[in-house]
Amino acid sequence: MSHKVPFASVGQLEAIAARYPTPFYLYDEAGIRANAARVREAFSWSPGFCEYFAVKATPNPAIIDLVTADGWGVDVSSETELLLVEAMGITGGHIMFSSNDTPTGEFEHALRLGATINLDDITHVEALDAAVEAVGCAYPATVSLRVNPGGSFAFANGIFGAPEDAKFGLTEVQLLAAARMLAERGVTELGIHALLASNTLGMGYYPALARTLFGLAVRVRRECGITVGFVNLSGGVGISYRPQDEDNDILAIGAAVHQAFDELLVPAGMGDVRLACELGRFMTGPYGALVTRVIHTKDTYHHYLGVDACAANLMRPMLYDAYHHITVMGKEDEPACRRYDVVGMLCENADRLANDRPLPEVEVGDLLYIHDVGAHGHSMGYNYNGRLRSAELLLKEDDRVELIRRAETPADYFSTLDVLPVYERLPTRTPMRP
């Protein structure tokens, strides 16, 4: 079994915890930057390639800045995410607005920002019509369509099943009809987008998806008379959550997509089609950790470790039975001699970060480092039982630590309720110790 290594030492984490209470999220700037460079190299063969970082994965401006520093864009799926990136100064074609079950007002906001709009359903063409009329703007020259080709897809997994079971996307017949409708409205450039699996390992998924979408692009141009300007492979390239899993080789994946491009698009005279991706999990997932402290142990029918984090901080194990590796800091080289259930304090039996997990002998006060939470970790947090979401910190390349989101306080929890006199009398948990 291979070994997962934390990107911070026990000394660093204890020093951070002396200033910022556990639990907290910690992100690795150097790791994120290096990974972005690998993705850029993998698709450097494609002129105009753009990674649209999936804001839903890690909606923090400090992280978004890291992955868009060299001109890449963002993938957003709600009006609040539009407001976030707008506040950061991101507009125009640097935004891919890819949503579903979308209120017309959100299309209007996307139009005002000049975003590229990715339509999830054929009825959304008429919704876009209404938004264009409400805004009083010209019909966008570029529109994208999200396709769901159905059937079985060999790279689907338990998080995102067979395409026909997904609520996302148009059928191929609907795609062709929508392309004709958009051409009639003056759209001159079409994008084709799909996400058919989630967190795949091995180099097969992206090349297989690329072949499907490249073939559709050729058909759309031939049958609908509209230029296909880009193909967006979206996300789906996964990370190795388990120590025994092989890391995805993004350079090999990029080369295989290149081969599919040369075999399908170039002979059709479509060698100028741009390539895009939305690699939220792959970009940042391995470079975030949830750091939590053991505050109780309990021995009944199982050996329990009670920690100061819970499913409100990391929902994925509860929601997907997802595995996140755990390192007991300071005991990295000790044998995993005991099995523990690592649990939080929610009034919910499923509030578990790990079940029957082999770990070294653990004591109250030990720091646990929960790996690979840099995407879809903090962003999925919630406030059940009145539990408060933790701070987010960035470990800079020069080893400084920057607070990029403070921990929530009781005042935040009560801020949407009309009980101002009540929560003003409550003691405030300060997110930073003096």
Side-chain angles (χ1 to χ4, degrees):
M1 178 180 291
S2 60
H3 186 56
K4 279 189 173 287
V5 178
F7 57 75
S9 68
V10 62
Q12 285 177 297
L13 295 181
E14 287 289 6
I16 296 169
R19 189 177 184 198
Y20 302 99
T22 56
F24 55 78
Y25 272 75
L26 183 67
Y27 303 98
D28 178 21
E29 179 182 37
I32 293 172
R33 288 191 186 278
N35 199 39
R38 285 190 289 271
V39 173
R40 187 174 296 279
E41 180 183 356
F43 297 102
S44 60
W45 54 268
S46 174
F49 168 76
C50 186
E51 155 64 19
Y52 292 96
F53 177 68
V55 169
K56 66 179 74 67
T58 320
N60 190 299
I63 303 302
I64 296 169
D65 275 341
L66 287 179
V67 294
T68 60
D70 294 327
W72 281 347
V74 290
D75 164 62
V76 300
S77 57
S78 71
E79 185 160 32
T80 303
E81 290 184 350
L82 282 170
L83 289 165
L84 173 63
V85 300
E86 182 181 9
M88 295 178 63
I90 302 174
T91 59
H94 287 95
I95 302 174
M96 182 71 63
F97 182 63
S98 187
S99 63
N100 68 96
D101 193 22
T102 309
T104 302
E106 298 195 359
F107 284 135
E108 293 171 14
H109 196 146
L111 285 170
R112 291 189 187 98
L113 293 179
T116 301
I117 295 176
N118 185 35
L119 300 180
D120 181 70
D121 183 59
I122 192 168
T123 64
H124 287 179
V125 176
E126 292 184 353
L128 185 57
D129 293 345
V132 167
E133 183 176 357
V135 173
C137 64
Y139 215 92
T142 299
V143 176
S144 179
L145 294 173
R146 181 171 185 169
V147 65
N148 181 336
S152 61
F153 204 75
F155 304 96
N157 62 21
I159 295 176
F160 196 104
E164 287 183 1
D165 295 331
K167 69 175 183 175
F168 306 106
L170 298 86
T171 67
E172 290 188 26
V173 171
Q174 291 172 336
L175 173 77
L176 295 170
R180 295 186 184 98
M181 293 166 65
L182 291 170
E184 291 170 357
R185 286 157 169 79
V187 173
T188 57
E189 181 185 66
L190 192 73
I192 298 179
H193 171 288
L195 174 66
L196 303 185
S198 179
N199 196 47
T200 62
L201 294 177
M203 63 177 288
Y205 171 65
Y206 247 21
L209 176 63
R211 289 182 179 277
T212 296
L213 298 188
F214 293 163
L216 276 173
V218 173
R219 185 179 175 192
V220 166
R221 193 188 71 162
R222 183 176 65 243
E223 298 183 19
C224 304
I226 188 170
T227 297
V228 176
F230 66 87
V231 170
N232 188 340
L233 300 179
S234 189
V237 177
I239 61 175
S240 54
Y241 286 103
R242 297 177 181 272
Q244 65 268 30
D245 292 337
E246 291 281 337
D247 290 334
N248 272 323
D249 183 346
I250 197 65
L251 298 180
I253 290 170
V257 173
H258 191 183
Q259 181 179 351
F261 187 96
D262 286 347
E263 291 176 2
L264 294 171
L265 290 181
V266 172
M270 298 174 66
D272 58 348
V273 171
R274 305 185 304 279
L275 194 70
C277 303
E278 296 165 359
L279 293 171
R281 187 195 313 267
F282 184 83
M283 292 293 291
T284 61
Y287 311 105
L290 174 58
V291 180
T292 182
R293 197 177 293 279
V294 178
I295 58 174
H296 294 292
T297 61
K298 178 178 179 177
D299 293 306
T300 53
Y301 305 104
H302 299 263
H303 300 304
Y304 292 100
L305 297 179
V307 297
D308 57 8
C310 62
N313 305 109
L314 180 62
M315 191 194 295
R316 296 189 72 255
M318 175 191 284
L319 188 61
Y320 303 121
D321 193 27
Y323 179 96
H324 284 273
H325 197 64
I326 296 175
T327 295
V328 183
M329 298 305 299
K331 300 180 179 180
E332 296 89 342
D333 299 322
E334 294 185 15
C337 59
R338 195 168 186 182
R339 290 182 175 271
Y340 295 98
D341 291 2
V342 183
V343 301
M345 68 287 289
L346 295 186
C347 297
E348 170 59 64
N349 192 47
D351 177 24
R352 297 160 182 266
L353 301 175
N355 284 316
D356 198 32
R357 183 67 59 85
L359 294 171
E361 193 76 32
V362 180
E363 302 171 86
V364 169
D366 283 343
L367 284 179
L368 303 187
Y369 177 106
I370 301 175
H371 292 255
D372 303 315
V373 299
H376 309 290
H378 192 281
S379 63
M380 296 177 73
Y382 63 116
N383 288 127
Y384 184 57
N385 274 176
R387 296 299 173 185
L388 304 174
R389 283 169 287 202
S390 61
E392 291 182 292
L393 310 172
L394 180 62
L395 179 62
K396 304 285 286 182
E397 290 182 295
D398 60 6
D399 289 335
R400 289 182 300 111
V401 174
E402 179 181 326
L403 177 68
I404 59 174
R405 189 192 302 270
R406 66 166 174 81
E408 290 182 334
T409 69
D412 296 313
Y413 181 78
F414 287 104
S415 63
T416 56
L417 299 172
D418 188 18
V419 289
L420 184 64
V422 175
Y423 79 73
E424 282 189 338
R425 292 197 302 269
L426 293 174
T428 300
R429 177 192 176 192
T430 177
M432 185 187 300
R433 293 174 182 157

